[in-house]
C-alpha cells in the first residue's frame, strides 16, 4: 500500500507526461502503471510503491470548486519540490535537460547540507522544481 506519493496538478498534461515518461524509468526505476499523454491521470510506481502521479489541474479544480480562481499565482518562491534520489546527479540532470527540463542550479556538491550530498535543481515543463540528489 502506498503511504505517500506526490501528485502534481498540471495544466500542460501532455508535455508533463512526455517529460516524466522519458526520465523517470532511468532516474529512479519507475514504471508507468496507468495513463497516457491524453490525460487526465497518469501514475508511475517503483516496485509496489507510488512514485509520482500527474493529474489535470482543471479536473481537480472542478472537484474542489476553484475553477474560477487564477491558474497561476504572482511570481513567488517555490512551495513544493519533487525530490529524486539518483545514482548519478550529473547524468540525471543531463537526461532531464535533454527532455525539456530547465536547469536552475547545475550539479554541485553540497557538504553543508550533508556528508557526500550532491544535487542539481531543475524545472519540469510545468515549472515544478525538481531536486536530483545523491549521497
Amino acid at each position: 500500500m502506498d503511504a505517500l506519493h506526490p501528485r502534481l496538478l498540471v495544466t500542460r498534461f501532455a508535455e508533463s507526461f512526455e517529460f516524466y515518461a522519458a526520465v523517470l524509468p532511468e532516474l529512479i526505476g519507475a514504471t508507468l502503471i496507468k495513463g497516457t499523454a491524453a490525460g487526465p491521470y497518469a501514475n508511475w510506481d517503483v516496485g509496489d510503491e507510488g512514485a509520482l502521479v500527474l493529474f489535470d489541474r482543471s479536473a481537480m479544480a472542478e472537484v474542489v470548486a476553484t475553477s474560477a480562481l487564477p491558474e497561476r499565482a504572482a511570481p513567488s518562491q517555490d512551495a513544493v519540490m519533487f525530490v529524486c534520489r539518483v545514482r548519478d546527479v550529473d547524468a540525471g540532470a543531463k537526461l532531464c535537460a535533454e527532455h525539456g527540463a530547465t536547469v536552475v542550479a547545475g550539479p554541485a556538491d553540497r557538504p553543508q547540507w550533508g556528508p557526500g550530498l550532491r544535487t542539481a535543481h531543475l524545472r519540469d515543463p510545468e515549472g515544478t522544481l525538481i531536486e536530483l540528489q545523491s549521497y
Side-chain angles (χ1 to χ4, degrees):
M1 177 172 76
D2 300 332
L4 299 171
H5 61 269
R7 180 172 294 192
L8 302 180
L9 304 177
V10 299
T11 57
R12 294 162 39 194
F13 192 93
E15 192 174 349
S16 295
F17 177 89
E18 295 297 339
F19 172 75
Y20 285 107
V23 303
L24 286 177
E26 188 171 333
L27 283 179
I28 62 172
T31 302
L32 177 66
I33 301 302
K34 180 180 179 182
T36 69
Y41 178 93
N43 73 283
W44 289 263
D45 288 1
V46 174
D48 292 334
E49 294 292 321
L52 179 68
V53 171
L54 296 181
F55 194 69
D56 181 77
R57 187 179 297 181
S58 64
M60 182 56 66
E62 288 179 31
V63 171
V64 298
T66 59
S67 296
L69 297 175
E71 285 184 2
R72 300 257 182 236
S76 63
Q77 295 178 356
D78 295 286
V80 298
M81 179 170 64
F82 180 50
V83 178
C84 298
R85 186 171 179 188
V86 298
R87 279 180 254 142
D88 184 335
V89 169
D90 298 68
K94 182 176 185 268
L95 174 70
C96 290
E98 288 171 352
H99 290 282
T102 302
V103 177
V104 294
D109 294 329
R110 305 233 182 252
Q112 68 277 24
W113 292 1
L117 183 63
R118 185 166 179 79
T119 67
H121 294 88
L122 308 100
R123 292 201 182 279
D124 73 7
E126 187 76 16
T128 302
L129 185 61
I130 300 171
E131 178 178 277
L132 304 180
Q133 62 172 235
S134 64
Y135 51 93

